Amino acid sequence: MEWSLSSAVGEPPREDSPFRTLESSAMKITVNTDVCIGAAMCTGLSPQVFTLDEEGIVSLRETDPPEELRARIEQAVGSCPVAAIKIQD
């Protein structure tokens, strides 16, 4: 499948997508590994929470991030060039 920004942003994950959701009591972080391009902005801004797997795709290091990391997580979410990460309360 050819990747483009317009096809990546705003589309729901496919049924067979490796879309990962991890929840904590404070926040829910959703990572769409289908659209991640490995820019690593998230890992630079919030290395306690985000890492890249062996294929260079975002993965969650911390499954229950403390509330004090929220500002950094929100920066990481906002910096993702393909909007692969979302945070919800």
Side-chain angles (χ1 to χ4, degrees), residues 18-21 29-33 36 50 58-60 84-86:
F19 204 53
R20 299 178 192 147
T21 300
I29 300 170
T30 305
V31 177
N32 187 336
T33 57
C36 178
F50 302 101
V58 67
S59 181
L60 292 172
I85 307 168
K86 305 234 184 287

Side-chain angles (χ1 to χ4, degrees), residues 31-45:
V31 177
N32 187 336
T33 57
D34 269 354
V35 300
C36 178
I37 60 172
M41 298 297 293
C42 56
T43 63
L45 289 165

